[in-house]
């Protein structure tokens, strides 16, 4: 029998939302690796499908009908498997050398976390619970896997709008950050040229990965899954003796998990869940979180310049959000807009990596405090 009579008005409205996501991903090329799986999962969620999201059926204690395909795949989100595996791939892809070479940029990554806490306070002020506010605030860290991980822990009913907001704003980094960066800096500041970074040895990178793992897990045990996988991936990368494993983490693993994670998030975007006033509030708070995080990173760099002879270009402070490496590229583009001969990308990777670590730590704090 045809399923056309089962189509509802909310499904049709969601088709328009999904079309917008496809437009941003395919034609505007905003984070297509993430937005396309999310949008297609949402499309499946808003069709009268069979064998996709239904629960298994039990009679007299025995299963008579299996669950749908995404009933099982989505367990990777519910059981908190997919986000840490994404972190494993991110660690294998990321060079922590710029942060080690210029450790003071760790402060820029830390400053960006003020956006998370400011949004947490704002969300509680407009009626969200502490658990919901923590999950919403983490959008300011611009880290999709961490947002999903924390939302699943604290507010699973808000997983869809939080994930869509986090990934959408990550994709819109080149549009959202530059106005804030320009408003808070002078032309002279944007032209600051930073000294070349020193070469970081393999031993330093391996020690760094091990020490961050130990220190962060001792201080914030709830962040163990994210930090542990991030540093495992990086240790594999920097050891230079596990090429096959590094390539698998950088390519096959992260690609497969990205497909399943994105579609699993999208499959939760039913019209009943997504089309309500709370979703609009979350999207609005996400923009605020992102703006505050960007501003705080830039302002921290300016403050550090007041007491330092070795000046920091404030533009790299915006890379304190953990959208790797998009935020660092924005710093590079804005720097060259002011001075075509200025190269800030590697300098910006320091706060960018610090932001990844910082957001994971903040997520661990929220889990420990409100989980």
């Amino acid at each position: 029998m045809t399923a056309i009579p089962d189509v509802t008005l909310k499904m049709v409205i969601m088709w328009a939302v999904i079309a917008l996501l496809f437009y941003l991903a395919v034609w505007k090329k905003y984070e297509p690796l993430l937005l396309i799986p999310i949008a297609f999962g949402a499309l499946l969620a808003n069709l009268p499908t069979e064998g996709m999201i239904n629960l298994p059926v039990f009679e007299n204690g025995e299963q008579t009908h299996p669950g749908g395909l995404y009933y099982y795949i989505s367990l990777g989100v519910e059981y908190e498997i997919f986000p840490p595996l994404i972190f494993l791939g991110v660690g294998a892809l990321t060079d922590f050398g710029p942060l080690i070479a210029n450790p003071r940029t760790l402060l820029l990554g830390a400053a960006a976390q003020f956006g998370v806490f400011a949004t947490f306070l704002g969300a509680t002020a407009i009626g969200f619970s502490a658990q919901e506010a923590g999950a919403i605030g983490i959008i300011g860290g611009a880290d999709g896997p961490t947002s999903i991980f924390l939302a699943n822990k604290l507010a699973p009913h808000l997983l869809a709008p939080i994930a869509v907001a986090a990934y959408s704003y990550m994709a819109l980094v080149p549009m959202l950050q530059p106005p804030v960066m320009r408003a808070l800096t002078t032309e002279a500041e944007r032209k600051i040229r930073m000294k070349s970074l020193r070469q970081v040895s393999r031993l330093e990178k391996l020690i760094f990965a091990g020490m961050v793992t130990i220190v962060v897990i001792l201080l914030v045990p709830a962040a163990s899954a994210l930090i542990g996988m991030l540093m495992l991936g990086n240790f594999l990368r920097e050891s230079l003796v596990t090429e096959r494993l590094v390539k698998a983490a950088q390519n096959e693993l992260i690609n497969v998990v990205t497909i399943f994670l994105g579609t699993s998030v999208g499959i939760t975007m039913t019209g009943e869940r997504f089309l309500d006033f709370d979703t609009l509030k979350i999207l609005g708070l996400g923009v605020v979180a992102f703006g505050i995080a960007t501003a705080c990173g830039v302002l921290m760099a300016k403050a550090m310049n007041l007491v330092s002879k070795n000046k920091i270009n404030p533009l790299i402070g915006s890379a304190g959000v953990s959208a790797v490496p998009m935020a660092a590229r924005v710093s590079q583009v804005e720097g060259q807009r002011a001075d075509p001969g200025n190269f800030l990308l590697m300098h910006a990777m320091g706060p960018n990596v610090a932001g990844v670590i910082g957001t994971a730590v903040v997520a661990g704090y929220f889990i420990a405090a409100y989980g």
Side-chain angles (χ1 to χ4, degrees):
M1 286 181 63
T2 177
I4 293 175
D6 297 327
V7 174
T8 65
L9 177 60
K10 287 187 176 181
M11 286 182 178
V12 175
I13 295 172
M14 285 301 298
W15 295 348
V17 174
I18 293 160
L20 174 61
L21 294 178
F22 279 135
Y23 171 76
L24 293 174
V26 178
W27 278 271
K28 291 297 185 179
K29 296 181 173 62
Y30 291 152
E31 208 66 31
L33 298 180
L34 297 168
L35 287 188
I36 287 178
I38 289 175
F40 207 93
L43 178 60
L44 294 173
N46 289 280
L47 289 170
T49 58
E50 292 184 8
M52 291 295 292
I53 57 177
N54 54 285
L55 299 175
V57 177
F58 292 89
E59 293 180 7
N60 301 321
E62 293 186 3
Q63 182 175 307
T64 56
H65 293 87
L69 175 64
Y70 270 88
Y71 167 77
Y72 297 104
I73 291 178
S74 296
L75 294 178
V77 176
E78 183 179 342
Y79 292 162
E80 297 155 10
I81 297 171
F82 290 158
L85 290 181
I86 293 288
F87 262 55
L88 175 64
V90 170
L93 285 164
T94 307
D95 181 7
F96 289 178
L99 176 59
I100 301 170
N102 192 3
R104 63 181 177 157
T105 57
L106 185 67
L107 296 176
L108 302 179
Q113 306 312 313
F114 283 109
V116 176
F117 288 103
T119 308
F120 169 79
L121 296 175
T124 56
I126 63 174
F128 287 103
S129 68
Q131 290 86 353
E132 293 170 334
I136 294 168
I138 208 70
I139 296 171
D143 189 326
T146 304
S147 298
I148 292 171
F149 186 83
L150 188 59
N152 188 65
K153 283 273 194 182
L154 300 184
H157 57 290
L158 298 179
L159 176 61
I162 288 172
V164 171
Y167 279 120
S168 297
Y169 296 143
M170 283 175 63
L172 295 174
V173 161
M175 295 176 60
L176 296 176
Q177 285 197 311
V180 178
M181 297 161 70
R182 294 173 203 154
L184 296 177
T185 57
T186 65
E187 186 174 354
E189 288 175 326
R190 293 194 288 273
K191 290 182 177 180
I192 292 175
R193 293 195 175 191
M194 299 176 65
K195 294 181 179 179
S196 298
L197 295 171
R198 68 175 178 85
Q199 189 70 28
V200 177
S201 70
R202 176 173 65 157
L203 179 60
E204 287 179 281
K205 292 179 180 180
L206 292 174
I207 291 174
F208 178 81
M211 290 303 298
V212 169
T213 303
I214 293 169
V215 172
V216 172
I217 290 177
L218 287 176
L219 293 176
V220 192
S224 299
L226 297 177
I227 289 295
M229 290 297 99
L230 179 70
M231 293 304 161
L232 169 59
N234 192 251
F235 199 95
L236 291 172
R237 169 195 171 96
E238 303 302 345
S239 69
L240 303 182
V241 293
T242 57
E243 183 178 358
R244 286 170 53 194
L245 301 182
V246 173
K247 286 184 177 179
Q250 291 176 336
N251 296 287
E252 293 85 359
L253 178 63
I254 197 169
N255 289 337
V256 170
V257 174
T258 297
I259 293 172
F260 289 155
L261 177 63
T263 50
S264 294
V265 169
I267 213 80
T268 67
M269 289 174 59
T270 60
E272 290 72 17
R273 289 185 180 181
F274 200 79
L275 298 176
D276 61 34
F277 188 54
D278 280 349
T279 297
L280 294 178
K281 290 192 288 186
I282 289 169
L283 293 173
L285 287 166
V287 172
V288 172
F290 205 82
I292 294 175
T294 300
C296 287
V298 172
L299 293 174
M300 174 60 80
K302 290 165 67 79
M304 291 169 67
N305 283 342
L306 297 176
V307 295
S308 174
K309 293 181 180 179
N310 186 12
K311 300 298 183 183
I312 295 175
N313 189 312
L315 293 176
I316 74 168
S318 66
V321 300
S322 57
V324 179
M326 291 85 78
R329 289 176 185 154
V330 172
S331 299
Q332 166 76 5
V333 170
E334 287 301 306
Q336 291 201 319
R337 190 187 299 272
D339 177 4
N342 200 0
F343 297 93
L344 296 175
L345 182 61
M346 293 310 295
H347 296 288
M349 283 302 297
N352 213 183
V353 170
V356 176
I357 298 171
T359 303
V361 170
V362 171
Y365 165 77
F366 280 135
I367 292 169
Y370 304 109

